[in-house]
Amino acid sequence: EYGYSLGDPNMLIIWEAQFGDFANAGQVYFDQFIASAQKKWGRSSGLVCLLPHGYEGMGPEHSSARIERFLQLCADENMEIVNPTTPAQMFHLLRRQMLRSFRKPLIVFTPKSLLRHPMATSSVADLVDRGFQRIIDEQELDGVSPAQADSVLLCSGKIYYDLIKHREESEKNGCPVVRIEQLYPFPEPEVRALLERYPNAEFSWVQEEPQNNGAWWFVSDW
C-alpha cells in the first residue's frame, strides 16, 4: 500500500489493521519510510492508515494502536495524527486528504465501538455545510455561559461519549467537554481560542489510556 501510494498519488490508498497492534509488525516501515521519506528522499505519500484503538474489552491486541508511539514520530509536519469521533469528521477527513494539493501520511485511530454507538451520528448539515474540524467545542450549555464555566475537560476519541454520559448522570451540565480531533499538527490556534472563550475555567486532560500511553505527554507540552 505504501508503494502504491507513491506510484499513484491521486488514488486514495487505505491500509486498515484488523487490530491496532497489528501495526507493530510494520513498525520499521513507519520509522524508515512513512514518517521520514519526505525528509530523506523528497518522496511524499498520501497513505491513510486506519488503526483500531479503544479500551473496549477486546483484549490487549485490540485495545491500543499506540497513539504515543506515532506522536513520537511526528516532526516538521511530516504526517497527521487524528482521532475522529463522528461520521462527518471521517468523511471530511478522507475528502480533505484527496482534495489537497500535497500529500501527507494520515494516521487515523478508529474505535470500533463508534460504528454502533447511538450518539456517534452526524446530520446532513454536518456532511454538507462543514469541513473537518480540528477541535469540536460545545456551543451550548444548559443555563451556563462560557464565562461562568469553572472547569473544561479536553479529550480525544471515544472517551468523549463516556464523559458526556457521566455528565448527564451526575447532572453537572456546566462542564464543557472539548474534543481534540487532530492531535498532530497540534491545533494550537484553536486551543488558544478556547482559553479566551473560557477565561475563568480550569482545563484538564482526560484519556482512557494509562498516563504513559496515549496523548497526555504530548498535549501537556502545549
Side-chain angles (χ1 to χ4, degrees):
E1 282 80 3
Y2 174 71
Y4 195 174
S5 73
L6 296 178
D8 191 348
N10 294 318
M11 182 74 71
L12 179 62
I13 310 299
I14 301 176
W15 178 74
E16 181 177 14
Q18 182 180 2
F19 294 91
D21 271 357
F22 278 21
N24 284 346
Q27 190 64 42
V28 65
Y29 296 99
F30 288 108
D31 292 347
Q32 297 296 323
F33 298 98
I34 295 174
S36 58
Q38 184 172 352
K39 188 71 171 181
K40 292 191 292 187
W41 306 304
R43 298 301 306 274
S44 299
S45 168
L47 179 65
V48 179
C49 296
L50 305 182
L51 307 180
H53 176 86
Y55 288 72
E56 301 165 340
M58 298 295 289
E61 293 295 321
H62 183 276
S63 296
S64 181
R66 301 297 177 187
I67 291 177
E68 67 281 357
R69 184 181 297 169
F70 286 94
L71 287 173
Q72 288 171 354
L73 291 175
C74 292
D76 296 329
E77 299 186 358
N78 59 329
M79 56 184 178
E80 293 184 320
I81 309 295
V82 296
N83 197 1
T85 56
T86 70
Q89 284 286 87
M90 179 62 78
F91 167 75
H92 290 301
L93 188 64
L94 297 178
R95 183 174 181 269
R96 180 182 75 169
Q97 184 75 355
M98 296 310 299
L99 290 178
R100 285 173 164 171
S101 59
F102 59 90
R103 294 290 177 260
K104 295 282 185 181
L106 175 63
I107 310 298
V108 187
F109 297 100
T110 56
K112 289 188 175 181
S113 66
L114 295 192
L115 293 172
R116 55 187 181 275
H117 199 291
M119 294 180 65
T121 60
S122 298
S123 66
V124 173
D126 292 331
L127 292 164
V128 176
D129 298 335
R130 299 182 179 89
F132 180 75
Q133 299 172 271
R134 301 204 299 174
I135 73 169
I136 302 179
D137 189 11
E138 292 196 292
Q139 298 303 314
E140 297 182 4
L141 293 173
D142 292 342
V144 177
S145 68
Q148 293 173 314
D150 58 9
S151 179
V152 175
L153 300 181
L154 302 176
C155 66
S156 186
K158 76 176 187 67
I159 197 172
Y160 164 77
Y161 296 103
D162 299 327
L163 293 173
I164 292 297
K165 180 180 179 181
H166 177 74
R167 187 176 67 182
E168 292 176 350
E169 293 173 348
S170 61
E171 299 182 350
K172 295 183 178 180
N173 295 325
C175 179
V177 182
V178 181
R179 286 167 276 180
I180 308 295
E181 299 278 291
Q182 178 172 302
L183 291 166
Y184 188 86
F186 190 74
E188 184 175 359
E190 291 94 328
V191 173
R192 290 192 180 278
L194 279 179
L195 300 178
E196 297 178 1
R197 175 173 164 80
Y198 302 104
N200 300 310
E202 178 181 355
F203 286 76
S204 302
W205 175 260
V206 184
Q207 65 180 34
E208 58 183 333
E209 302 89 356
Q211 184 176 4
N212 64 336
N213 292 3
W216 159 243
W217 65 270
F218 177 80
V219 174
S220 65
D221 287 340
W222 297 92

